[in-house]
Amino acid sequence: MEIDTKTLIALLQAAMSADYTQVRRTANGLSKQLLDAKDVDGARAVQAVVRKKGVPLQASGYAETLPVDAGTRLPLLEESVAPTTPVILNEAAGHVVGQFIEDAQNHDQLEQAGVDAPIRLLIFGEPGTGKSLLASHIAARLGRPLYVVRLDAVISSRLGETAKNVRGIFDFIPVRNAVLFLDEMDAVAKLRDDRQELGELKRVVNAVIQGLDTLTNDVIVIGATNHPHLLDPAIFRRFPYKLELGLPSTGTRLEMWKAFLRLESPDGLADAETLAIVSDGLTGADIQNISLSARRRAVLDKAEINLPNLLVALLSSKRGSPSLPDTRKLTTDDKKQLALTLHDRAKLPVTEIARMVGVSRQMAHRYLKGEDGELDG
Ligand SMILES: Nc1ncnc2c1ncn2[C@@H]1O[C@H](COP(=O)(O)OP(=O)(O)OP(=O)(O)O)[C@@H](O)[C@H]1O
Ligand SMILES: [Mg+2]
């Protein structure tokens, strides 16, 4: 392929002003042209050169920093820290993630065989199902930094700056060999409710589409949204990999309780199984919240985790608004309700019910028969 004079001059100009960002931007354009001309080796060679960290050009005063909004000077994206807690997924979701990572790791091979697709994953699901956490795990597994963008933070009050901000982000990502994470993409779609913002919304959406189109297929992008149907279909289509994170299954909740409460003993495992059944309908974030609260109480009381109170808290927890366990003395009503739940939903034998409610076997029997059991005191 012939290099056109315009590209060559842009490259020389950028080199003479020691502007690495501009050098890379031009080189990325060049590599895309090469790809379009089916010169895969050429494109790869160009990419390899610009991926190298440049010599620091202190004399020129040039420093490579995060792109910022021209008005507020606030960074448009931030590097997220590596995750410290595990992500626990339903089996089907784990499978999709595994495949995405495999494809990302073997992109070169797929490209050579002509069967590659842009490595872009759209994660959707209710709040608290682990979308953001999963994105950081994927980046960690790929050994790349994760740069998080909240598109609503990118929207500038200065006319025309928004599209420039979005471009700044898309120019920056290939340079760092990073994973770009467009988190909470629905925040932008919500602008639709505000008529005055409609023009700006169009500009953001178009800038994102254009930004995605300037990236080569090997640049990894992850998007997350609570409402995939609010996303612009043109953006939706630009993510060939899609993953819905549903509510955790019973088996997944079991793993969550085990991990978050650190349950390992045989009794602990039995407790986790019961907790998994009683926490039907809650998200990973709810379960983590409740677990941490129970552990905080245990630490401050220098005691074991208070299982009866934990279970009672679960009975009144709703998705997105978990009741945090306390250590107050349970009322007879609490205990009765708990005993009946463990009997009806968890199908536990009376001995187990008694242990979990913290009463005698006899008392558990009385609760189940609908007797008051005030004797329990
Ligand atoms: N599947 C999961 N595995 C492990 N932890 C989870 C999971 N889901 C949620 N959590 C816990 O809840 C916290 C919040 O989850 P996260 O922020 O990833 O949810 P989200 O889907 O991005 O929610 P939102 O839509 O509100 O942004 C996580 O940091 C983690 O501690
Ligand atoms: Mg999130």
Side-chain angles (χ1 to χ4, degrees), residues 115-195:
V115 292
D116 66 311
I119 319 170
R120 297 181 202 151
L121 172 69
L122 185 67
I123 308 173
F124 48 97
E126 287 195 36
T129 46
K131 300 181 293 296
S132 303
L133 179 65
L134 175 59
S136 60
H137 273 276
I138 292 176
R141 284 269 299 273
L142 293 171
R144 298 187 188 212
L146 182 77
Y147 284 97
V148 187
V149 183
R150 284 210 33 188
L151 286 174
D152 54 347
V154 163
I155 293 167
S156 170
S157 53
R158 291 147 53 115
L159 199 70
E161 284 292 319
T162 301
K164 199 171 144 214
N165 283 348
V166 175
R167 272 201 307 278
I169 291 166
F170 281 96
D171 286 340
F172 172 81
I173 287 300
V175 172
R176 293 292 174 107
N177 203 7
V179 177
L180 172 62
F181 182 35
L182 303 170
D183 202 2
E184 316 207 2
M185 295 179 85
D186 35 310
V188 172
K190 289 213 189 79
L191 287 177
R192 260 183 206 152
D193 301 341
D194 186 345
R195 290 224 127 273

Side-chain angles (χ1 to χ4, degrees), residues 22-338:
Q22 196 56 44
V23 171
R24 287 181 173 127
R25 189 177 299 179
T26 318
N28 282 331
L30 178 62
S31 121
K32 210 161 163 44
Q33 286 175 29
L34 286 166
L35 267 187
D36 290 344
K38 303 265 175 282
D39 183 358
V40 178
D41 287 342
R44 215 176 279 142
V46 171
Q47 287 290 335
V49 174
V50 292
R51 278 218 183 101
K52 288 194 189 119
K53 248 193 172 349
V55 180
L57 292 175
Q58 274 151 350
S60 71
Y62 174 77
E64 199 168 60
T65 46
L66 291 177
V68 295
D69 179 272
T72 60
R73 308 302 303 165
L74 291 174
L76 299 171
L77 29 67
E78 59 186 53
E79 186 172 347
S80 114
V81 292
T84 52
T85 58
V87 65
I88 302 164
L89 302 175
N90 293 341
E91 203 176 320
H95 192 73
V96 174
V97 172
Q99 214 162 53
F100 177 75
I101 290 176
E102 189 185 356
D103 288 5
Q105 282 169 335
N106 298 292
H107 185 262
D108 282 359
Q109 194 189 336
L110 297 177
E111 193 175 41
Q112 261 158 16
V115 292
D116 66 311
I119 319 170
R120 297 181 202 151
L121 172 69
L122 185 67
I123 308 173
F124 48 97
E126 287 195 36
T129 46
K131 300 181 293 296
S132 303
L133 179 65
L134 175 59
S136 60
H137 273 276
I138 292 176
R141 284 269 299 273
L142 293 171
R144 298 187 188 212
L146 182 77
Y147 284 97
V148 187
V149 183
R150 284 210 33 188
L151 286 174
D152 54 347
V154 163
I155 293 167
S156 170
S157 53
R158 291 147 53 115
L159 199 70
E161 284 292 319
T162 301
K164 199 171 144 214
N165 283 348
V166 175
R167 272 201 307 278
I169 291 166
F170 281 96
D171 286 340
F172 172 81
I173 287 300
V175 172
R176 293 292 174 107
N177 203 7
V179 177
L180 172 62
F181 182 35
L182 303 170
D183 202 2
E184 316 207 2
M185 295 179 85
D186 35 310
V188 172
K190 289 213 189 79
L191 287 177
R192 260 183 206 152
D193 301 341
D194 186 345
R195 290 224 127 273
Q196 282 197 327
E197 302 277 16
L198 213 59
E200 198 62 5
L201 168 70
K202 272 220 180 89
R203 272 193 287 277
V204 185
V205 169
N206 285 335
V208 171
I209 293 171
Q210 279 170 10
L212 288 170
D213 288 347
T214 61
L215 299 177
T216 48
N217 276 2
D218 59 334
V219 178
I220 302 171
V221 185
I222 302 176
T225 176
N226 293 332
H227 304 287
H229 54 278
L230 287 185
L231 269 192
D232 195 285
I235 294 188
F236 195 76
R237 255 193 303 114
R238 279 169 170 78
F239 288 84
Y241 297 82
K242 296 189 176 69
L243 170 63
E244 175 163 17
L245 283 191
L247 294 174
S249 67
T250 313
T252 306
R253 293 196 301 276
L254 172 68
E255 294 307 317
M256 287 173 170
W257 286 114
K258 277 183 356 198
F260 295 145
L261 287 179
R262 314 242 160 109
L263 299 174
E264 277 140 21
S265 68
D267 260 0
L269 294 188
D271 294 350
E273 276 170 22
T274 306
L275 289 164
I277 292 168
V278 179
S279 55
D280 186 19
L282 299 185
T283 64
D286 296 330
I287 293 177
Q288 202 220 17
N289 253 323
I290 295 172
S291 299
L292 275 182
S293 170
R295 280 173 54 197
R296 279 197 293 271
R297 299 276 66 78
V299 167
L300 295 182
D301 293 350
K302 298 188 175 49
E304 296 282 295
I305 282 170
N306 185 327
L307 185 67
N309 287 54
L310 173 49
L311 284 163
V312 165
L314 275 186
L315 296 186
S316 58
S317 288
K318 293 200 177 57
R319 174 149 75 251
S321 70
S323 304
L324 300 185
D326 51 30
T327 47
R328 77 193 154 86
K329 199 166 175 326
L330 297 181
T331 66
T332 307
D333 266 354
D334 285 336
K335 292 185 202 169
K336 257 169 69 180
Q337 204 202 343
L338 182 56

Side-chain angles (χ1 to χ4, degrees), residues 306-309 311-312 330-332 334-343 348 350-360 363-364 367-368 376:
N306 185 327
L307 185 67
N309 287 54
L311 284 163
V312 165
L330 297 181
T331 66
T332 307
D334 285 336
K335 292 185 202 169
K336 257 169 69 180
Q337 204 202 343
L338 182 56
L340 286 169
T341 305
L342 295 178
H343 179 264
L348 292 185
V350 182
T351 337
E352 270 298 279
I353 295 178
R355 179 177 76 80
M356 291 198 182
V357 182
V359 295
S360 69
M363 190 57 58
Y367 288 154
L368 295 180
D376 191 42

